[in-house]
């Protein structure tokens, strides 16, 4: 077997609460990230899975850390990296924005005026250093161009780009079609695969 790695995988959405009963989020189910965690553990690597709120069973042999918000996810990932992780594989759909204020009590309709002030969340993948990094790019247009830009900006060794508007791809599906873009500019277009088969392919990439 290839060298045993300590792998951190992020998965699922984050939730950014407006008040105790309302939040901003996205349709990520965690399927892609859980498949990566499962494939990495099956290949003999030590896997920490940092998961947003999802309804999936933890894969065998995987240590799971549950989080809610983007800031929780960043703190959990930073802890794993500080503890000596080798590779971070970021499949999570992290909310880029959060409400400027989180009300402690449920807001009454009369207390809302139809506007919501937002502030930027940290970019986990960009912030974290000292670990090999693999990112995903969820795109709806200019897939390759955006993937190349994110790969550079976030200093990634590999980015897995998926067009989330394509049938059988992206959020909630059991399959995905991805284009791999390596740091050296190599582009590999993969066919439609199950998320587990794609995950196995990504794990092989980090073993090189
Ligand atoms: O969970 P599923 O239902 O199986 O759906 C899978 C998926 C569509 C979520 C997955 O295949 C996918 O594309 N994940 C990346 C989603 C995303 O947020 O992409 P992005 O292009 O906005 O972000 C680029 C990269 O930066 C990603 O690796 C993301 O995890 C990371 N990021 C983004 C924003 C942020 N604040 N911090 C981050 O670390």
């Amino acid at each position: 077997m290839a060298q045993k790695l300590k792998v951190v995988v992020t998965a699922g959405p984050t939730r950014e609460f407006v008040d105790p009963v309302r939040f901003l989020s996205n349709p990520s189910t965690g399927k892609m990230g859980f498949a990566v965690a499962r494939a990495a553990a099956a290949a003999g690597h030590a896997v920490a899975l940092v998961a947003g709120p999802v309804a999936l069973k933890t894969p065998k042999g995987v240590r799971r850390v549950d989080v809610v918000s983007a800031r929780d996810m960043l703190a959990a990932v930073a802890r794993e990296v500080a503890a000596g992780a080798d590779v971070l594989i970021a499949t999570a759909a992290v909310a880029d924005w959060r409400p400027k204020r989180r009300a402690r009590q449920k807001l009454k309709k009369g207390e809302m005026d139809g506007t919501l002030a937002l502030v930027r969340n940290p970019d986990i993948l960009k912030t974290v250093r000292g670990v090999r990094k693999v990112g995903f790019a969820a795109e709806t247009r200019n897939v390759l161009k955006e993937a190349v830009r994110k790969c550079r900006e976030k200093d990634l060794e590999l980015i897995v780009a998926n067009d989330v508007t394509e049938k059988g791809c992206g959020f909630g599906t059991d399959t995905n079609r991805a284009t791999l873009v390596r740091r050296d500019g190599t582009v590999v277009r993969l066919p439609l695969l199950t998320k587990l088969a794609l995950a196995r392919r990504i794990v092989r990439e980090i073993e090189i």
Side-chain angles (χ1 to χ4, degrees):
M1 186 190 89
Q3 188 201 348
K4 189 175 167 182
L5 299 167
K6 287 186 182 167
V7 181
V8 183
V9 180
T10 68
T14 64
R15 286 182 183 171
E16 313 297 331
F17 277 85
V18 177
D19 71 10
V21 300
R22 302 179 179 94
F23 56 79
L24 304 178
S25 194
N26 62 67
S28 173
T29 58
K31 284 183 181 178
M32 189 66 244
F34 277 56
V36 171
R38 181 176 160 192
H45 304 296
V47 182
L49 173 60
V50 179
V54 296
L56 296 176
K57 265 179 62 186
T58 309
K60 210 169 140 221
V62 167
R63 180 167 55 82
R64 174 167 171 178
V65 180
D66 286 308
V67 296
V68 176
S69 69
R71 287 184 296 173
D72 298 340
M73 188 173 274
L74 172 59
V77 168
R79 266 195 304 274
E80 296 297 332
V81 171
D86 299 299
V87 188
L88 167 62
I89 306 179
T91 79
V94 183
D96 286 314
W97 299 87
R98 68 176 184 276
K100 191 169 179 185
R101 267 180 223 93
R102 174 179 177 163
R104 274 210 254 159
Q105 305 297 335
K106 180 180 174 184
L107 293 167
K108 299 284 176 205
K109 283 190 201 83
E111 293 172 318
M112 301 168 87
D113 65 1
T115 61
L116 184 61
L118 301 176
V119 291
R120 282 301 288 264
N121 266 332
D123 187 310
I124 299 166
L125 206 44
K126 206 166 173 176
T127 307
V128 169
R129 283 162 205 268
V131 67
R132 294 167 58 198
K133 297 190 287 188
V134 174
F136 269 63
E139 305 300 339
T140 58
R141 61 190 156 157
N142 302 329
V143 178
L144 193 55
K145 192 169 154 227
E146 286 303 310
V148 169
R149 180 181 64 76
K150 288 177 184 176
C151 192
R152 267 200 219 113
E153 282 183 8
K154 302 188 189 213
D155 192 22
L156 308 179
E157 131 176 352
L158 174 75
I159 192 156
V160 181
N162 46 186
D163 181 339
V164 294
T165 63
E166 206 182 308
K167 194 165 175 274
C169 297
F171 296 107
T173 54
D174 291 317
T175 54
N176 209 355
R177 186 198 313 277
T179 301
L180 308 183
V181 182
R182 301 194 187 104
R183 191 201 294 276
D184 66 6
T186 325
V187 174
V188 183
R189 290 179 197 276
L190 298 174
L192 188 70
L193 297 171
T194 63
K195 283 186 174 169
L196 187 57
L198 173 59
R200 290 191 181 116
R201 178 61 207 260
I202 294 165
V203 169
R204 284 207 302 279
E205 288 279 326
I206 63 165
E207 291 172 340
I208 292 171

